[in-house]
Amino acid sequence: MKFEVITLFPEFFELSLRQSLLGKAIDKKLFEIEIINLRDYATDRHNTVDDTPFGGGGGMVLKVEPIDRCLAALGYTRRGEESQPNGKEKILLTSAAGRKFDQRTAIGYSLCDRLAIICGHYQGVDERITRLYRMEEVSIGDYVLTGGEPAATVIVDAVARLIPKVLGNFESATDDSHMDEIVGAPSYTRPAEYEALEVPAALLSGNHREIDKYRRRMAIEKCLRNRPDLLKQAELTEDEQEMVRQLDENLDVE
Ligand code: ADE
């Protein structure tokens, strides 16, 4: 799997993606990441990549030509020129106006061979680029960032950790929040007692059925507190639905 991040600020990615687990995974060649400076594809001697919007209004718009040249140089084919639809190659455009990026989207992207991420900037990108190339506009949340770089970092991180072997222990990904539509269960580690706060006995029992049951209950409780919207859509057994009703009645709101 290869990520190709197209940005006006290549330095932004120096630290964030090259350390910790992802840095190690890159060293082990479990995936590749290329950071591409959009200015290298400008068409004039001032390396201009943006311009004022037609029709007026504030801000600047990323020009279509540099992005087109960049995608062509990377070997992406335009709409209608694809030999056959290739679901394994995708172009993403970060934008506050995009479709919501979530765990389900991350799982889908992790199955790609190649993922280009164009970091949007200023007032956005000349819309014609979306007519030239098939691309998905993605938003990482309902707020507006100054640029797409933090969004691209989030996307690369969430997708890369799903690539086989990137996490030492894949169970840690399957136990994640959102993997089964609700948030993950709370975790504990040593010491078993801290200032009279004890780790729940079920987790110390060594009985895996009991541990799983306890974790599911705690995940449902946390979800009810923090993300009741997710619980409404989650597939729960009848026992779990009853559990939600009981928890809901007794939930003390902080
Ligand atoms: N650019 C500006 N805001 C954004 C957001 N919420 N998600 C992705 N890209 C963005």
Side-chain angles (χ1 to χ4, degrees), residues 94-96 138-141 143-145 147-148 151:
T94 63
S95 157
V138 276
S139 163
I140 60 162
Y143 38 78
V144 182
L145 302 166

Side-chain angles (χ1 to χ4, degrees), residues 9-244:
F9 299 100
E11 321 79 48
F12 185 94
F13 298 92
E14 289 291 319
L15 268 180
S16 61
L17 293 175
R18 297 200 195 277
Q19 57 185 344
S20 157
L21 272 182
L22 295 193
K24 284 196 192 115
I26 294 169
D27 291 344
K28 285 193 209 153
K29 303 202 176 0
L30 296 177
F31 68 91
E32 279 179 79
I33 182 157
E34 188 181 352
I35 308 295
I36 296 135
N37 190 342
L38 184 62
R39 277 191 205 283
D40 294 344
Y41 295 90
T43 49
D44 67 346
R45 60 193 180 88
H46 300 295
N47 291 339
T48 312
V49 288
D50 58 334
D51 207 339
T52 51
F54 280 124
M60 300 291 274
V61 175
L62 283 181
K63 288 162 73 63
V64 65
E65 302 102 309
I67 303 178
D68 183 18
R69 279 162 47 110
C70 178
L71 290 174
L74 291 172
Y76 286 93
T77 37
R78 287 184 173 190
R79 279 178 192 271
E81 288 174 5
E82 302 105 328
S83 43
Q84 60 191 64
N86 183 352
K88 294 254 169 188
E89 258 181 38
K90 278 191 197 298
I91 306 173
L92 311 183
L93 170 62
T94 63
S95 157
R99 291 213 186 120
K100 193 178 85 182
F101 175 74
D102 59 15
Q103 190 66 16
R104 191 184 292 258
T105 336
I107 294 168
Y109 294 161
S110 74
L111 304 174
C112 288
D113 293 336
R114 226 175 151 205
L115 204 58
I117 308 177
I118 305 166
C119 300
H121 254 274
Y122 312 120
Q123 280 306 99
V125 173
D126 188 316
E127 188 74 12
R128 286 170 293 184
I129 197 67
T130 67
R131 305 283 292 280
L132 288 177
Y133 294 86
R134 214 172 287 283
M135 56 178 72
E136 294 181 17
E137 275 184 79
V138 276
S139 163
I140 60 162
D142 291 341
Y143 38 78
V144 182
L145 302 166
T146 52
E149 282 72 17
T153 312
V154 166
I155 294 168
V156 171
D157 191 300
V159 173
R161 65 192 293 287
L162 297 172
I163 296 170
K165 302 201 188 121
V166 168
L167 293 184
N169 172 2
F170 193 67
E171 237 183 76
S172 28
T174 55
D175 287 349
D176 281 339
S177 287
H178 304 291
M179 279 309 255
D180 57 4
E181 301 173 311
I182 67 169
V183 305
S187 310
Y188 299 84
T189 185
R190 273 177 277 274
E193 190 179 332
Y194 182 68
E195 295 191 5
L197 295 170
E198 288 174 8
V199 171
L203 296 180
L204 306 173
S205 69
N207 177 334
H208 287 284
R209 266 178 62 111
E210 201 181 323
I211 293 172
D212 287 348
K213 220 169 107 189
Y214 177 80
R215 284 197 170 134
R216 180 76 180 163
R217 186 181 167 84
M218 289 301 107
I220 289 174
E221 184 171 331
K222 197 185 252 291
C223 203
L224 192 59
R225 244 178 234 287
N226 295 346
R227 296 294 307 274
D229 55 313
L230 291 180
L231 264 190
K232 288 206 184 88
Q233 300 158 18
E235 275 183 36
L236 302 179
T237 64
E238 277 185 19
D239 284 355
E240 288 172 345
Q241 288 172 25
E242 178 54 29
M243 187 194 298
V244 171

